[in-house]
Amino acid sequence: MNVEARETLRSRIQKDWLKNYSLYLLVSPVLIYYIVFHYVPIYGASIAFKDFVPSKGIWGSGWVGLDHFREFFSGYYFWRILKNTLVISLTSLLFGFPAPIILALLINEVKTRFFSRFVQTVTYMPHFISLVVVCGLVIDFTRDTGIINTIIAFFGGEKVTMLNNPGYFVPVYVTSEIWQEIGWGSIIYLAAMGSIDPQQYEAATIDGAGRWKQTIHVTIPGIASTIIILLILKIGGILSVGYEKIILLYNPAIYESADVISTYVYRKGLQEFAWSFSSAVGLFNSTINFMLLIGANWISKKVNQSGLW
């Protein structure tokens, strides 16, 4: 870049700063937060390629290259935790992602304002309950003496402590996740529906469309871009199953179906002090999620001309 071009660029930056300095000051705390807590710590990912010893520090620890990745990929638990992570994530995506959309569509069709507000309040409430409390309730409800088994026994079923049986973990986890988040997740869809032009519904009514056809041809297309963006974000985190809830729910008897990548990292890093190995597993997880996010966004832009960027 020559001197004249540098002077022009400097002049443009100065003019932009003088014109919009208040906006830059307003956004600076957010930028500082992300730089300090999200970008600066990235250098710590280098311990995935080292034999990290706390007393030696990150730079003083020996370099081992890809040894931890090879150990993970060839390990006994690799395919189990990868399978469990994908099963739980895809099941949650298949059943959990459409649930808030369906609830929002149903609430949107309710004409009684009081009943609509009542349903929204009832469905929002579980989101604000502590996760520890929620998991405690789930454990109590799914015991062989719990209310769920009491209902099953009433209809002739057999009582069983569900969270001691690997086959029940995924349904229990996904169902409780939907119950806790369905109301909160519907908020953004209800907001998107509120931005749809009422004249579109009037035109559809004039054309003879009933409520069902209005939903199919007006409401859903009106919130399609919101659905696509949230779906892309969901796909981008498909390997990041929340470890907090799983750790609170699972036990060694159901590791076969409940152990996922994030809980495996937790056990190896914080319980077995294998910091470098757990960092390698976490880095693998983040890399795959990043690739899925980029891929989902690219496909969405090709198919629907809509994406995150």
Side-chain angles (χ1 to χ4, degrees):
M1 183 181 294
N2 56 39
V3 176
E4 183 179 352
R6 284 199 299 269
E7 290 296 329
T8 303
L9 178 61
R10 187 180 298 110
S11 175
R12 289 175 61 186
I13 292 174
Q14 289 175 348
K15 288 181 180 178
D16 187 66
W17 167 257
L18 291 174
K19 181 179 179 181
N20 301 305
Y21 73 93
S22 59
L23 295 177
Y24 287 120
L25 291 176
L26 184 65
V27 79
S28 60
V30 178
L31 291 176
I32 293 171
Y33 166 79
Y34 275 97
I35 291 171
V36 173
F37 294 102
H38 290 267
Y39 288 97
V40 172
I42 288 177
Y43 88 97
S46 62
I47 69 174
F49 306 95
K50 296 190 173 189
D51 184 15
F52 177 67
V53 179
S55 60
K56 295 181 180 180
I58 294 177
W59 302 118
S61 299
W63 185 270
V64 297
L66 300 176
D67 287 356
H68 297 303
F69 293 93
R70 295 191 188 98
E71 181 184 353
F72 174 55
F73 295 145
S74 62
Y76 175 78
Y77 297 109
F78 173 71
W79 290 111
R80 187 183 77 176
I81 63 175
L82 183 61
K83 182 198 73 173
N84 292 344
T85 303
L86 290 174
V87 167
I88 294 174
S89 293
L90 293 176
T91 306
S92 298
L93 184 66
L94 181 63
F95 295 101
F97 183 77
I101 302 173
I102 295 171
L103 177 63
L105 291 171
L106 293 174
I107 292 175
N108 188 56
E109 295 300 318
V110 175
K111 300 306 177 185
T112 306
R113 189 174 183 81
F114 172 79
F115 184 70
S116 173
R117 297 298 183 190
F118 174 77
V119 172
Q120 290 180 59
T121 302
V122 170
T123 55
Y124 294 168
M125 287 177 63
H127 174 80
F128 298 100
I129 302 175
S130 167
L131 186 60
V132 176
V133 175
V134 169
C135 292
L137 291 172
V138 171
I139 291 171
D140 286 338
F141 290 165
T142 56
R143 293 185 191 277
D144 55 356
T145 56
I147 186 172
I148 294 177
N149 276 287
T150 301
I151 295 172
I152 291 173
F154 177 79
F155 290 99
E158 180 183 356
K159 290 186 176 183
V160 58
T161 301
M162 295 180 176
L163 290 178
N164 283 343
N165 188 321
Y168 285 105
F169 178 78
V170 175
V172 169
Y173 177 89
V174 173
T175 303
S176 62
E177 189 78 7
I178 292 174
W179 167 72
Q180 189 178 10
E181 299 297 337
I182 186 172
W184 184 255
S186 66
I187 293 176
I188 191 167
Y189 297 112
L190 288 169
M193 291 175 192
S195 65
I196 298 175
D197 188 352
Q199 292 183 355
Q200 295 187 37
Y201 290 105
E202 294 174 4
T205 302
I206 293 172
D207 290 339
R211 297 304 304 173
W212 171 250
K213 288 188 176 182
Q214 289 180 34
T215 299
I216 297 297
H217 299 289
V218 178
T219 307
I220 293 179
I223 62 173
S225 59
T226 303
I227 294 173
I228 290 170
I229 289 173
L230 293 178
L231 180 60
I232 292 172
L233 293 173
K234 192 76 172 178
I235 292 174
I238 203 166
L239 292 185
S240 298
V241 180
Y243 71 93
E244 301 98 335
K245 186 173 183 180
I246 293 180
I247 288 175
L248 291 170
L249 289 178
Y250 81 164
N251 58 72
I254 56 173
Y255 279 174
E256 179 185 338
S257 62
D259 198 20
V260 296
I261 292 176
S262 55
T263 57
Y264 184 67
V265 170
Y266 167 80
R267 286 206 316 278
K268 298 295 289 188
L270 297 181
Q271 294 182 343
E272 301 179 19
F273 306 109
W275 294 291
S276 293
F277 180 81
S278 61
S279 296
V281 178
L283 185 58
F284 161 77
N285 188 30
S286 299
T287 303
I288 297 300
N289 280 335
F290 178 73
M291 292 170 62
L292 288 172
L293 178 65
I294 298 297
N297 187 75
W298 181 81
I299 293 172
S300 176
K301 293 195 74 172
K302 287 292 183 182
V303 175
N304 297 307
Q305 289 76 48
S306 177
L308 290 173
W309 62 85

